[in-house]
Amino acid sequence: MKKIEKQQQFVRAHLDLFRCPTCQEPFAQLEENSIVCGRGHRIDFNKHGYLHFLKGAADTEYGREMFLARRQLLDAGLFKPIIQAVAERLPQRPLKILDVGTGEGTPLAQLATLRAGQGDSLLGFDIAKAGVTLATQLDLDAFFCVADLRQLPFNDQAFDAVIELFSPSDYAEFNRVLAPDGTLVKVIPNADYLVELRHLLYSQDDRHAHYDNSRVRELFARHYPDSQVQRVRYRFTLPAGMAAALVEMTPLHWGRGAKQLTASELAGLQAVTVDVSLLIAKKS
């Protein structure tokens, strides 16, 4: 089956998940290469097999090389303990799962492997076309699309779980698309996340050399007073030759004042600390 046919088959089977970003009416049918809402608005599947729900070009600095580097590190296991912790927080029954800011899709694919046999319906979206294009190349029974976090093209109460790794949040939209008793898992970096790389890139008196997630945690707690926090911390040994890919995959090096690392500095970066918090909530 061709890629576009596989994606169309998913949408046809899960048409109840989607709503029109123009009028907010549910999509009613597939017509040839288009998904059509009750008021006649239509969006075409592109040649990569995904739907582009944005009303214009995406405003993002995330490009193909960054996502390729991310896939290289994630395939090597950089986030596997995080994904394991996320999987352990999800109910053991068939779920409709939304991956917010899916990027190139590897975390969702690794979650699918851990939950094999559960019968989940998996959907990931990102604002970056480069990431979604790569995600559609995965051998994964899931659907990917380009969409806006602030205006999700999904129906109310459509998902049993929303997961989000290192991405912005819109809690009003998350609550809207989560079913009653649905699970939200947000992964955020702690102060020591990739601290070895951070300290290579910035001097100690540079504000980018330090990170504080307290504002993010406090905002989550205000929205979900009964939420839980789970810390996941470990050391990850970089496979030979992957230090440059680590730099490329993270926006840490985008800050003003970031050093251009030398070959010897990259060679000396042999392991990094992965230190994150899972913020977990149930929709009441």
Side-chain angles (χ1 to χ4, degrees), residues 13-268:
H14 299 86
L15 200 58
D16 61 323
L17 296 180
F18 299 91
R19 79 175 194 181
C20 178
T22 300
C23 66
Q24 286 72 58
E25 290 291 319
F27 279 104
Q29 60 185 325
L30 264 69
E31 290 183 1
E32 297 180 348
N33 194 45
S34 304
I35 184 171
V36 185
C37 80
R39 296 189 180 181
H41 301 119
R42 65 176 58 229
I43 296 177
D44 297 336
F45 288 86
N46 69 10
K47 64 181 180 180
H48 300 289
Y50 64 79
L51 294 168
H52 190 286
F53 287 107
L54 298 184
K55 295 180 180 179
D59 181 16
T60 177
E61 298 178 89
Y62 290 11
R64 179 178 174 83
E65 292 305 314
M66 182 180 186
F67 287 118
L68 286 172
R70 183 177 188 256
R71 176 168 289 175
Q72 188 179 11
L73 266 299
L74 269 57
D75 281 345
L78 179 62
F79 287 174
K80 280 191 175 178
I82 301 174
I83 306 304
Q84 178 69 53
V86 171
E88 290 170 357
R89 287 291 183 159
L90 299 179
Q92 295 300 301
R93 58 180 175 82
L95 301 177
K96 295 177 181 177
I97 300 175
L98 178 65
D99 182 18
V100 175
T102 195
E104 43 68 53
T106 300
L108 187 59
Q110 292 176 345
L111 180 65
T113 298
L114 292 172
R115 290 182 54 83
Q118 289 290 341
D120 295 330
S121 300
L122 306 173
L123 197 154
F125 79 90
D126 204 288
I127 197 173
K129 291 171 60 177
V132 174
T133 298
L134 287 170
T136 61
Q137 298 171 6
L138 293 168
D139 183 15
L140 177 65
D141 186 12
F143 183 78
F144 295 97
C145 59
V146 174
D148 183 359
L149 171 72
R150 311 299 178 188
Q151 188 181 15
L152 296 177
F154 310 117
N155 282 317
D156 296 355
Q157 302 183 10
F159 294 95
D160 304 297
V162 171
I163 63 172
E164 180 232 288
L165 279 70
F166 308 107
S167 292
S169 297
D170 187 313
Y171 298 123
E173 279 292 84
F174 292 174
N175 289 336
R176 182 182 66 77
V177 302
L178 267 174
D181 202 38
T183 302
L184 170 61
V185 182
K186 177 179 175 67
V187 179
I188 61 172
N190 292 331
D192 286 342
Y193 178 71
L194 303 185
V195 65
E196 298 83 0
L197 176 59
R198 188 183 294 274
H199 288 172
L200 273 179
L201 290 169
Y202 300 100
S203 62
Q204 284 299 300
D205 59 350
D206 192 300
R207 66 182 181 87
H208 295 100
H210 312 281
Y211 178 71
D212 180 2
N213 67 12
S214 58
R215 291 178 63 184
V216 178
R217 291 179 59 165
E218 289 166 4
L219 180 61
F220 192 90
R222 286 203 297 272
H223 282 275
Y224 307 101
D226 297 326
S227 61
Q228 299 177 344
V229 179
Q230 176 183 342
R231 189 175 187 181
V232 179
R233 180 186 171 97
Y234 54 94
R235 290 276 287 172
F236 178 77
T237 300
L238 291 169
M242 284 199 185
L246 180 73
V247 177
E248 179 65 32
M249 69 158 275
T250 169
L252 281 177
H253 67 288
W254 292 357
R256 181 177 296 179
K259 288 177 56 180
Q260 185 71 36
L261 300 183
T262 66
S264 61
E265 286 172 324
L266 288 172

